[in-house]
Amino acid sequence: MDAFEAGAGRKPCMCGLHFHIVQFDPAAYPVMEHIRRSSKDRKELLSQMNFARNFIDDLLLPWGVERIIYMDADTIVQGDLRTLWLTKFKSNNFFAPAHTCNQPWSFWFNFKSWVISNSMLKEDGCAVNAGVYMLDVKQYAAHKIQHHIAELIAIHEKRLQGKMKGIWRRGVHQPSFVFSMYNHTQRVDSKWNMGQLGWDEHLSLDELREAYILHWNGQRKPWKSDGLFKQFWMPYALPLPAPRNALLLGNCLVSSEDE
C-alpha cells in the first residue's frame, strides 16, 4: 500500500490560521528551574517550554484567552476541533483530557504516600495523558493550580530528601500537572488522543485513520530515521527552500543527512 494511501490520502490544510506568539520568560518563574533539575523525565522533555503550560493563566488571561485546546508538538489533527471546543464542562470540572487507558495510575504514583493514599486515585484506574486536553483557563487560575503544582513538588522533594519514596515514581511535570486537577477532570472520547504512535508498532491502522488526534508520545517520532507511522505524518510535512533537501516536520528541521 502506498504510504499516502495509508494516511487516508489527506493533504495539508492551509485554512488561513492566525498565530499570536506570547513570550514566556523562565526567569520570571524561579521555581521552574528547580522543577527541571529534580525531574526524572527523558532529557528531551526537560525543555523550558514543556513546563510553560503550568503558568498558562499568567500567560494567556491578559490576552483575554479563557479556554484552550492544548496539543503537544508531536500530534496531527484529523477530526473537527469544533466538536471538542463546544464540549460543556459539568459541575466543577475544567480539565478535559481524553479517556485513554494505556497505563494505570500505579505506573506514575506511589500509593504508599499519604498524599496519594488519601486521594480518590485508584491504583488500577486509567491514568491521564496530558499530551492533548481542553482547559478552562479562568477556572485553572481561580483554583490556583500552578500553586498547587508547586506545593506537590515541594512535598515530593521533601520526601526524597528524607530518604523516603516520593509521591510519584517517574517524571515531574506529567504527574504533578494531572494530579493537581484530578478532582476537576472530565474525560472526553479517547479518539481525541490516539497515543502510543512513538513506541507501539502494533497499533491498528484502521483505528489510527478513525482517530481525531494522533499523538506520537514516545521516542520514535515520525521525523526521526526510526520513527513510526510516518505515512500519517508526512502528508503534513512542509518543504523548506533551505538548507537543501530539508523538511519542516512539526517544529523540527530535518536535512537529508538525518534520514
Side-chain angles (χ1 to χ4, degrees):
M1 178 180 291
D2 182 82
F4 289 92
E5 282 185 22
R10 294 182 176 87
K11 296 181 179 179
C13 175
M14 304 304 179
C15 306
L17 298 176
H18 298 279
F19 296 91
H20 182 85
I21 298 175
V22 177
Q23 183 178 359
F24 174 62
D25 181 10
Y29 301 95
V31 66
M32 198 184 71
E33 186 57 34
H34 170 69
I35 292 172
R36 294 175 67 234
R37 284 199 307 267
S38 64
S39 177
K40 295 181 181 178
D41 279 330
R42 301 195 314 268
K43 185 178 296 185
E44 66 268 27
L45 298 180
L46 299 183
S47 162
Q48 293 173 334
M49 293 308 300
N50 197 39
F51 293 86
R53 54 177 146 167
N54 286 14
F55 315 103
I56 196 72
D57 46 342
D58 291 347
L59 296 172
L60 295 187
L61 284 180
W63 296 95
V65 178
E66 298 181 357
R67 176 181 285 211
I68 65 164
I69 295 175
Y70 172 90
M71 294 174 285
D72 279 350
D74 54 356
T75 56
I76 287 291
V77 178
Q78 300 188 138
D80 188 345
L81 288 175
R82 288 177 299 178
T83 304
L84 178 58
W85 184 258
L86 294 174
T87 300
K88 294 183 178 180
F89 284 110
K90 300 177 182 178
S91 185
N92 201 32
N93 297 333
F94 54 85
F95 175 54
H99 200 309
T100 55
C101 202
N102 301 324
Q103 296 165 334
W105 285 116
S106 59
F107 176 83
W108 289 100
F109 291 100
N110 170 23
F111 277 79
K112 293 183 179 180
S113 71
W114 65 267
V115 176
I116 303 302
S117 63
N118 289 334
S119 73
M120 300 294 289
L121 286 187
K122 295 182 179 180
E123 290 190 56
D124 59 352
C126 297
V128 166
N129 179 280
V132 178
Y133 57 84
M134 186 168 64
L135 180 73
D136 185 317
V137 184
K138 285 186 69 175
Q139 290 301 311
Y140 182 93
H143 287 81
K144 303 183 185 304
I145 298 300
Q146 63 167 279
H147 301 292
H148 188 193
I149 293 172
E151 290 173 353
L152 287 170
I153 293 169
I155 296 171
H156 176 78
E157 287 299 302
K158 186 175 181 179
R159 289 178 63 90
L160 293 179
Q161 291 169 7
K163 307 301 181 183
M164 302 170 66
K165 290 185 178 181
I167 299 174
W168 40 81
R169 300 179 184 278
R170 48 184 52 81
V172 166
H173 179 268
Q174 175 109 325
S176 59
F177 187 78
V178 300
F179 183 70
S180 67
M181 292 184 283
Y182 179 73
N183 292 331
H184 307 286
T185 298
Q186 179 175 315
R187 305 286 188 107
V188 295
D189 194 320
S190 61
K191 290 183 179 180
W192 287 114
N193 187 0
M194 181 67 188
Q196 302 176 235
L197 277 77
W199 62 271
D200 189 346
E201 301 181 36
H202 305 293
L203 296 175
S204 164
L205 291 179
D206 287 337
E207 289 185 5
L208 296 184
R209 292 188 191 97
E210 295 173 0
Y212 305 144
I213 296 179
L214 301 179
H215 183 195
W216 277 262
N217 56 318
Q219 299 189 54
R220 299 180 66 180
K221 306 298 185 187
W223 56 82
K224 292 184 176 181
S225 59
D226 66 342
L228 297 174
F229 303 105
K230 292 186 178 187
Q231 66 268 39
F232 287 90
W233 182 272
M234 290 303 294
Y236 300 91
L238 302 179
L240 294 179
R244 66 181 181 84
N245 298 327
L247 289 174
L248 181 64
L249 304 181
N251 61 348
C252 296
L253 192 64
V254 181
S255 68
S256 58
E257 289 79 9
D258 294 323
E259 285 297 315

